[in-house]
Amino acid sequence: MTASRVNIAPGGLPASADGAVIVPLHQDHPNASGLATSAQKYAWHSLSREEPPKRDAKERQADFREIYQLFDLETVKAQAARCIQCAMPFCRLGCPLSSRIPEWLALVAEGRFLEAAEISQETSSMPEICARVCPQERLCEGACLLLERAEPVPIGAIEKFINEFAFEHGGATAARVMPNGKSVAVVGSGPAGISCADALAKLGYAVTVFEAKPRAGGLLVNGIPSFKLQKEVVDRRLDLLMRRGIIFRHHTTIGQDLPLAKLLEEYDAVFLGRGAQHARKLDVPGGNLKGSCLALDFLIAQNLGPASNYPSVPIEGRQVVVLGGGDTAMDCLRTAIRGGARKATCVYRRNETHLPASHREYRNALEEGAEFLFMATPLELVGNPQGEVTQIRLARTEFGEPDAQGLRQPHAVPGSDFFIPAEVVLVAFGLDPTPFPDSPEWLDIQVNELGGVAVDENQMTSVPKVFAGGAQVNGANLVVYAVRDGYRAAAGIHRYLSGKA
Ligand SMILES: Cc1cc2nc3c(=O)[nH]c(=O)nc-3n(C[C@H](O)[C@H](O)[C@H](O)COP(=O)(O)OP(=O)(O)OC[C@H]3O[C@@H](n4cnc5c(N)ncnc54)[C@H](O)[C@@H]3O)c2cc1C
């Protein structure tokens, strides 16, 4: 851990990225036994990090079920005891939700799983989902102090265990609270919308979530494949929200089926969590040939089936090339392999070190048989007389001189062209904030430099009563940042409606 990664709040205590003070374990939670015993504190000396059991790659290729299994009881306790309970919990700083990780790890080490889950649920509306999809190596585990000497505590796998334990043993509940007489409309049912709705419902607001698609969950169900996050896990969470009293209206696009003005008339506040699902296109000759498809469209068709109304792309026996190196690209490769692709190759213009995808997902893709072609960029898609793509013309790339920000951008090497076979090309070049519906009522909402919705420190937009968060504001990012924004917006809405803003 380098000093530059730690924020210090007034008073010298460490702070999260938002400046919130992080209080050491023993001051925070009276139920946890406080500082670890010396035996526990040095457990990491004698015990290495273990990963949760993972299904064999050959077996994984044949289905879409999640690939990781749960730790057993003894392993989860032993792994949690590897936490040294440092006075300054850097893992909390690494978590965008400031999850009280050392506290629940101390309880897990003592076998007090339900109490541990209760604490983990306090800072997240979906800890069992974040535990599955967060790239912990870049967040909590990447900040674990143990990293200086050993492997970090497997925080994500332990959090998954305790929350699954809670679901199985009645520790994941959703009580209704006394209505406070006010109502909020939430537009979009992705992690931002869900978290905002959940936090508001807990404060007594009557919340209705409007979702354009036939199924709630946003990219948790449409985009992220089941081998990372099974749909039942999302449905189980949505079911809890409904039991809390939140109403979901599917098949309802705000700005098309219902105007925004109607929501502003009928509700005390509106939250926009419309996501970032505007895909960047492949701008080369032949880019529109049959067989070329945007990665998200491909994944939505695979995830939702015919109900999605997205055309499915035949994969079986074909050579699939995925362009791009992010998480979406890894998901496409692994989906193509499960769909029976003859070969699934990723083409990325930088090298392995610069791959933006999580290392864990890159490793999983390699294990399952994906191939990688680094330092190459597409110049043209070549087709047959039927207009179907058959090859890609690529150029080798090399890094240029550092630009004003010190970054060395890759560029095509003149004369280095070569061809590779491709019958399906999936374009995973990134996603921008979902544009506003084509209606003048949205024009008063100001946009930011990312093309997303501009918000203030309360997540309020330039239009009073209208709040926003998640990928709709920040552009494509992680689930955990959408959850954080949903919470921030709920707090902002509560302050606004109780006259405290
Ligand atoms: C393929 C893929 C894989 C990913 N993998 C990971 C991962 O492993 N880990 C991770 O942390 N993140 C991952 N992400 C990113 C993550 O899914 C997003 O950051 C997150 O879903 C953003 O949440 P959100 O609520 O802002 O938006 P979304 O999840 O996009 O939800 C927005 C919702 O709003 C609805 N909507 C839009 N317009 C309207 C309207 N006018 N009226 C009504 N409803 C509307 C949409 O239908 C959608 O359901 C992945 C993304 C993709 C595409």
Side-chain angles (χ1 to χ4, degrees):
M1 178 96 216
T2 57
S4 62
R5 285 161 70 186
V6 182
N7 297 317
I8 302 294
L13 283 169
S16 68
D18 325 56
V21 175
I22 306 285
V23 185
L25 163 69
H26 52 292
Q27 293 178 19
D28 210 7
H29 194 265
N31 295 331
S33 21
L35 294 170
T37 63
S38 115
Q40 263 179 359
K41 211 166 162 96
Y42 293 100
W44 65 272
H45 267 302
S46 51
L47 187 69
S48 316
R49 171 185 165 111
E50 270 190 47
E51 301 298 334
K54 188 157 63 160
R55 294 165 58 217
D56 180 71
K58 267 266 161 290
E59 181 191 319
R60 275 152 40 193
Q61 288 169 356
D63 65 49
F64 279 81
R65 284 186 297 117
E66 281 182 13
I67 70 165
Y68 290 102
Q69 290 153 350
L70 292 178
F71 278 133
D72 60 52
L73 291 187
E74 289 317 310
T75 309
V76 80
K77 284 199 280 185
Q79 287 295 315
R82 289 183 71 246
C83 170
I84 58 172
Q85 296 290 332
C86 47
M88 299 303 178
F90 294 112
C91 52
R92 259 195 99 168
L93 303 175
C95 172
L97 298 172
S98 290
S99 176
R100 287 155 52 189
I101 297 164
E103 287 176 67
W104 53 255
L105 284 177
L107 290 164
V108 175
E110 294 174 14
R112 294 159 67 183
F113 303 132
L114 285 179
E115 291 161 85
E118 202 182 318
I119 299 182
S120 131
Q121 289 163 17
E122 270 178 26
T123 49
S124 174
S125 57
M126 49 182 81
E128 76 287 5
I129 292 176
C130 288
R132 284 168 162 88
V133 299
C134 272
Q136 284 92 4
E137 78 222 15
R138 301 209 300 255
L139 301 168
C140 53
E141 292 177 17
C144 176
L145 201 63
L146 272 185
L147 260 177
E148 289 184 354
R149 307 241 187 123
E151 288 287 292
V153 176
I155 298 168
I158 299 175
E159 189 167 37
K160 179 176 164 190
F161 175 94
I162 55 174
N163 283 289
E164 287 307 312
F165 188 91
F167 269 103
E168 237 177 69
H169 294 84
T173 52
R176 285 187 189 225
V177 305
M178 184 74 87
N180 68 12
K182 297 198 169 105
S183 63
V184 178
V186 169
V187 182
S189 66
I194 290 175
S195 301
C196 181
D198 191 37
L200 289 170
K202 283 182 187 157
L203 292 167
Y205 290 89
V207 183
T208 306
V209 179
F210 295 88
E211 171 54 54
K213 293 243 163 26
R215 193 169 177 172
L219 287 176
L220 298 178
V221 293
N222 301 327
I224 301 179
S226 297
F227 48 81
K228 278 163 55 179
L229 172 65
Q230 277 179 210
K231 310 283 169 258
E232 304 89 272
V233 174
V234 183
D235 287 344
R236 185 178 62 180
R237 177 53 63 182
L238 292 169
D239 188 51
L240 272 187
L241 300 188
M242 285 183 256
R243 280 199 265 148
R244 213 187 276 298
I246 296 169
I247 295 169
F248 283 84
R249 285 185 58 183
H250 303 114
H251 284 298
T252 312
T253 305
I254 301 306
Q256 189 180 305
D257 300 316
L258 270 181
L260 181 61
K262 181 96 176 138
L263 300 190
L264 287 169
E265 218 176 277
E266 292 184 0
Y267 294 84
D268 295 298
V270 174
F271 173 76
L272 302 177
R274 298 167 57 255
Q277 300 198 16
H278 186 63
R280 292 179 205 148
K281 303 218 162 43
L282 171 65
D283 189 16
V284 298
N288 292 328
L289 284 171
K290 224 190 275 171
S292 164
C293 177
L294 294 172
L296 186 57
D297 291 356
F298 166 74
L299 290 172
I300 292 177
Q302 292 286 321
N303 277 318
L304 299 188
S308 70
N309 287 332
Y310 282 71
S312 88
V313 181
I315 291 293
E316 196 164 355
R318 302 199 170 201
Q319 311 217 47
V320 177
V321 174
V322 179
L323 303 175
D327 279 326
T328 305
M330 301 305 117
D331 291 346
C332 285
L333 290 164
R334 299 172 68 197
T335 299
I337 288 166
R338 283 160 175 78
R342 181 144 52 99
K343 196 168 171 184
T345 309
C346 175
V347 173
Y348 182 54
R349 64 196 174 124
R350 294 187 172 88
N351 57 25
E352 186 184 24
T353 320
H354 292 87
L355 204 65
S358 123
H359 292 173
R360 181 180 63 197
E361 302 312 330
Y362 170 51
R363 275 195 311 273
N364 288 334
L366 279 173
E367 281 171 17
E368 289 167 11
E371 295 183 11
F372 287 79
L373 182 54
F374 292 112
M375 302 301 289
T377 190
L379 297 178
E380 180 186 5
L381 303 194
V382 183
N384 61 18
Q386 290 76 44
E388 296 159 338
V389 61
T390 54
Q391 296 186 88
I392 308 186
R393 184 162 65 89
L394 299 165
R396 298 263 168 226
T397 56
E398 63 183 10
F399 287 113
E401 291 303 313
D403 61 17
Q405 282 81 42
L407 297 173
R408 297 178 64 211
Q409 298 295 347
H411 58 77
V413 178
S416 66
D417 304 15
F418 63 105
F419 292 84
I420 60 168
E423 293 159 289
V424 175
V425 176
L426 301 174
V427 182
F429 283 168
L431 299 165
D432 291 318
T434 307
F436 287 143
D438 196 10
S439 153
E441 64 172 352
W442 296 80
L443 294 179
D444 290 340
I445 301 177
Q446 281 173 13
V447 292
N448 60 27
E449 65 287 353
L450 300 169
V453 173
V455 292
D456 67 11
E457 66 282 5
N458 288 309
Q459 301 286 136
M460 183 143 81
T461 69
S462 50
V463 174
K465 268 176 78 166
V466 179
F467 295 73
Q472 163 92 110
V473 167
N474 310 314
N477 211 325
L478 299 174
V479 167
V480 68
Y481 289 109
V483 174
R484 180 202 61 188
D485 276 13
Y487 273 151
R488 279 188 186 162
I493 290 170
H494 186 51
R495 275 195 293 273
Y496 177 74
L497 293 180
S498 42
K500 291 183 193 148

